[in-house]
Amino acid sequence: MSTSDVGIDDLPIRDELRGKSPYGAPQLDVPVQLNTNENPYPLPEPLVERIAERVREAARGLNRYPDRDAVELRTALAAYLTRTGRHSVGLENIWAANGSNEVIQQLLQTFGGPGRTAIGFEPSYSMHGLIARGTGTGWISGPRNDDDFTIDVVAASEAIATHRPDVVFITSPNNPTGTAVDAETVLALHEAAQQAKPSLVVVDEAYVEFSHRPSLLPLIEGRPNLVVSRTMSKAFGAAGLRLGYLAAHRAVVDAVQLVRLPYHLSAVTQATALAALEHTDTLLKYVEQLKEERDRLVAELRAAGYEVTESDANFVQFGRFDDSHGMWQKILDRGVLVRDNGVPGWLRVTAGTPEENDAFLDAVRELKKEQSA
Ligand code: PMP
């Protein structure tokens, strides 16, 4: 019997995965790629050298498993947060994994799972729902205002009281809208979540270094059910490294160890991340440039007649379009790849280098003229 036309659904996979699509931002080979919120600047050469040095050192010990608890790396991450986050944390408050996606997965494996649910306020980061599905956690789509994409505290608290989720995701700045959430809102939702269950509140701060507002990290103090997750993929310009981390009460760090795979963070990853953290100040200089470029994109898009959502991230949501996918294609035809996140009427562009942003702005200005001609 030929098995050449066997597909996923012919396999004995879990029912909830049948007919579903994997996460898949298109990776197209076009001149200007502004679609996955990456940092456009390659790592500076002295850092590349330092990574090579550290990795060479690590290579000598690759016959052994890596430090399972990533002590040196977690200590360096704690020092970074203490220096920049207006709140002092130690090694015991930090956990690291392969991207914040793995951090989120470990949190859902620990606090979600079969018979449990998680809520996010959508549109938001689609992987929260996808990782929930992958871990057998039920997903609840909570409300978000559809004019400015802020979270309405009353409506969101009501959703928490009604559904009594086990995990609450608050993304700030939010992807794909760019919207930041204030501390009062997080505190109110945390309160609602504790009354309803109590449940774990995850503040996803993947983009916080680009924000006009300070990190919500100090909110973990005295709140063992509140976790802040962060990443080196954006501000540190190291998406290829795959290094995410969380800051929380030490009990949360102990809890995720119940599900983490032994030796999940390779010695090469740990060595590379440590090298990057040595160059924190240089890397964060690019953040300042990107914030300026983000603000320029907002201003120029508005001047060109587009609607733009306030952004605290390294990307900008712009619209509105009757046919956002058609618009996405027209921008792509001009050599610029932006993101259609499936939010009706809106597209998202990542802040790139000034030249890349100029190419994008030229394309959308031209399209505006065509529309009004
Ligand atoms: N959270 C948010 C809000 C994101 O947008 C992303 C990446 N797009 C992540 C987490 C995951 O990032 P990483 O796994 O690269 O740390």
Side-chain angles (χ1 to χ4, degrees):
M1 197 187 80
S2 160
T3 54
S4 57
D5 56 355
V6 167
I8 292 177
D9 287 340
D10 300 311
L11 301 174
I13 62 167
R14 286 159 49 196
D15 288 338
E16 62 268 36
L17 299 180
R18 283 188 193 284
K20 296 293 195 308
S21 326
Y23 171 88
Q27 289 193 309
L28 304 178
D29 191 15
V30 291
V32 181
Q33 298 176 13
L34 301 175
N35 69 326
T36 48
N37 298 343
E38 291 152 333
N39 190 314
Y41 295 106
L43 299 179
E45 206 48 34
L47 171 53
V48 172
E49 288 305 317
R50 184 66 183 129
I51 289 173
E53 242 173 64
R54 280 241 186 205
V55 168
R56 192 177 306 116
E57 216 174 292
R60 297 200 175 99
L62 282 185
N63 55 315
R64 302 287 178 194
Y65 283 114
D67 175 7
R68 201 172 42 212
D69 297 327
V71 169
E72 192 185 354
L73 175 58
R74 284 163 59 212
T75 304
L77 289 166
Y80 166 63
L81 285 188
T82 299
R83 193 153 69 82
T84 56
R86 298 180 309 138
H87 184 64
S88 176
V89 284
L91 158 73
E92 67 282 3
N93 304 113
I94 306 293
W95 183 243
N98 294 282
S100 48
N101 281 332
E102 191 183 25
V103 169
I104 292 162
Q105 184 176 50
Q106 292 178 344
L107 288 170
L108 283 170
Q109 285 175 320
T110 312
F111 297 92
R116 291 185 163 219
T117 59
I119 192 171
F121 304 98
E122 295 186 314
S124 190
Y125 182 43
S126 63
M127 282 308 297
H128 294 153
L130 289 181
I131 300 171
R133 190 172 75 202
T135 57
T137 313
W139 180 250
I140 299 155
S141 178
R144 186 177 281 272
N145 291 324
D146 59 12
D147 46 359
D148 62 0
F149 295 96
T150 53
I151 294 179
D152 179 312
V153 179
V154 175
S157 301
E158 268 173 25
I160 290 171
T162 307
H163 297 286
R164 304 181 62 239
D166 298 278
V167 180
V168 177
F169 285 102
I170 303 171
T171 311
S172 182
N174 186 46
N175 178 13
T177 62
T179 325
V181 183
D182 56 31
E184 292 69 40
T185 301
V186 174
L187 288 177
L189 299 188
H190 174 267
E191 188 52 36
Q194 300 321 299
Q195 281 185 11
K197 198 87 188 196
S199 37
L200 189 81
V201 175
V202 181
V203 180
D204 184 337
E205 284 200 333
Y207 300 97
V208 77
E209 285 94 341
F210 300 101
S211 182
H212 299 101
R213 295 169 196 255
S215 166
L216 296 162
L217 177 70
L219 301 188
I220 66 172
E221 186 61 40
R223 294 183 187 85
N225 288 345
L226 200 149
V227 176
V228 171
S229 83
R230 304 279 287 263
T231 181
M232 293 181 74
S233 294
K234 316 293 175 180
F236 280 83
L241 160 64
R242 310 307 301 130
L243 201 288
Y245 54 103
L246 64 75
H249 190 280
R250 62 192 309 156
V252 173
V253 176
D254 292 343
V256 291
Q257 314 224 5
L258 299 172
V259 301
R260 62 106 164 85
L261 294 175
Y263 317 109
H264 68 297
L265 261 190
S266 87
V268 172
T269 301
Q270 294 185 40
T272 310
L274 278 163
L277 284 161
E278 285 175 18
H279 287 245
T280 300
D281 291 340
T282 317
L283 293 172
L284 293 186
K285 279 196 198 113
Y286 293 124
V287 168
E288 290 311 311
Q289 282 180 37
L290 287 168
K291 283 164 82 169
E292 278 172 28
E293 281 298 302
R294 180 261 328 272
D295 291 341
R296 183 168 78 93
L297 281 173
V298 171
E300 298 279 327
L301 277 163
R302 283 190 179 138
Y306 291 96
E307 260 185 75
V308 178
T309 311
E310 288 303 334
S311 175
D312 273 77
N314 64 335
F315 53 83
V316 175
Q317 179 176 261
F318 64 105
R320 301 191 179 196
F321 310 110
D322 294 334
D323 172 13
S324 30
H325 198 72
M327 181 67 177
W328 174 84
Q329 184 64 54
K330 283 183 188 157
I331 300 173
L332 181 60
D333 293 343
R334 283 161 178 75
V336 183
L337 180 60
V338 296
R339 186 75 185 273
D340 177 5
N341 290 88
V343 183
W346 298 88
L347 294 172
R348 188 194 73 193
V349 60
T350 305
T353 61
E355 298 72 35
E356 289 171 330
N357 299 333
D358 283 342
F360 162 74
L361 287 167
D362 285 348
V364 291
R365 281 191 203 108
E366 217 177 275
L367 286 163
K368 197 65 164 184
K369 273 193 207 126
E370 271 178 30
Q371 264 175 13
S372 42

